C-alpha cells in the first residue's frame, strides 16, 4: 500500500481539528502515516528539547535511540540545516545513526511552529533502498505545515 497524500491530509486535518497539544498531534500523525504505506518501517518524531538537542517523541516501529545532538545523524542534519534530508542509501550518509540494522533509506523533515521555529524533526525509515521521492517530501512538508503551523512559539 502506498500513501495517498491528497487523501491522508484530509484525514489528518479532521482528526486533529482544534488540537494544539504538540504530543497529541505527533502521536496522531505517526499513527496515520506509519500505517498508510508499506515503505514506512519506522515513523517518529524527535523533539527539540534544548540547545542543539533532540529527544525521541511519539513513534511507531522498533525502539529508537533516545537522544540525538544536532551534530549527529540524519535527524541532526535536518535540525541543524532546516532542510529536508532525503537519503537513498543510509550507509553512504556520514554519521548516519542506525537504530535498526535493516534500515536502507530515510527521509527526515524539520517541523516548524507558526513562528517558523524548528520544534522537532519527523523521521521515516525504510528497509528498502531509495524508498523515498520528491513527492514524499512535498506531501509530508504540506502535512507538517498544516498540523504544526497552528502552534504558537
Ligand atoms: N537514523 C536516524 C536516527 C533515528 S533512528 O533511525 C529511529 C539518524 O541518523 O539521525
Amino acid at each position: 500500500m502506498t500513501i495517498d497524500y491528497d487523501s491522508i491530509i484530509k484525514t489528518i486535518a479532521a482528526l486533529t481539528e482544534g488540537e494544539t497539544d504538540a504530543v497529541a498531534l505527533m502521536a496522531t500523525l505517526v499513527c496515520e502515516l506509519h500505517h498508510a504505506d508499506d515503505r514506512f518501517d519506522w515513523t517518529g518524531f524527535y523533539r527539540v528539547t534544548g540547545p542543539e538537542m533532540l529527544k525521541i517523541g511519539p513513534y511507531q516501529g522498533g525502539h529508537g535511540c533516545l537522544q540525538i545532538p544536532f551534530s549527529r545523524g540524519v535527524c541532526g542534519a535536518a535540525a541543524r540545516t532546516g532542510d529536508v534530508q532525503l537519503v537513498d542509501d543510509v550507509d553512504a550518509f556520514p554519521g548516519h545513526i542506525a537504530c535498526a540494522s535493516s534500515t536502507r533509506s530515510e527521509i527526515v523533515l524539520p517541523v516548524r511552529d507558526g513562528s517558523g521555529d524548528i520544534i522537532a524533526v519527523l523521521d521515516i525509515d525504510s528497509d528498502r533502498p531509495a524508498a523515498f521521492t520528491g513527492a514524499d517530501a512535498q506531501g509530508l512538508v504540506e502535512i507538517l505545515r498544516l498540523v504544526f503551523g497552528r502552534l504558537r512559539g
Side-chain angles (χ1 to χ4, degrees), residues 34 40 43 45 54 71-72 81 86 95 98 102 115 129:
H34 190 71
F40 300 177
T43 310
F45 286 93
L54 295 164
S71 58
R72 294 192 60 219
T81 66
L86 210 165
S102 58
S115 303

Side-chain angles (χ1 to χ4, degrees), residues 4-47:
D4 175 340
Y5 287 106
D6 291 336
S7 171
I8 202 169
I9 199 166
K10 294 184 177 77
T11 300
I12 288 171
L15 289 172
T16 63
E17 185 178 2
E19 184 56 63
T20 57
D21 178 83
V23 174
L25 294 170
M26 290 176 181
T28 304
L29 250 67
V30 293
C31 176
E32 291 304 307
L33 291 173
H34 190 71
H35 296 291
D37 198 304
D38 296 336
R39 294 173 296 162
F40 300 177
D41 293 300
W42 195 93
T43 310
F45 286 93
Y46 280 87
R47 299 160 300 121

Side-chain angles (χ1 to χ4, degrees), residues 42 46 68 73-75 96-97 99 106 123 125:
W42 195 93
Y46 280 87
I68 302 176
V74 185
C75 292
H96 170 257
I97 301 168
C99 293
E106 186 164 357
D123 179 15
D125 298 342

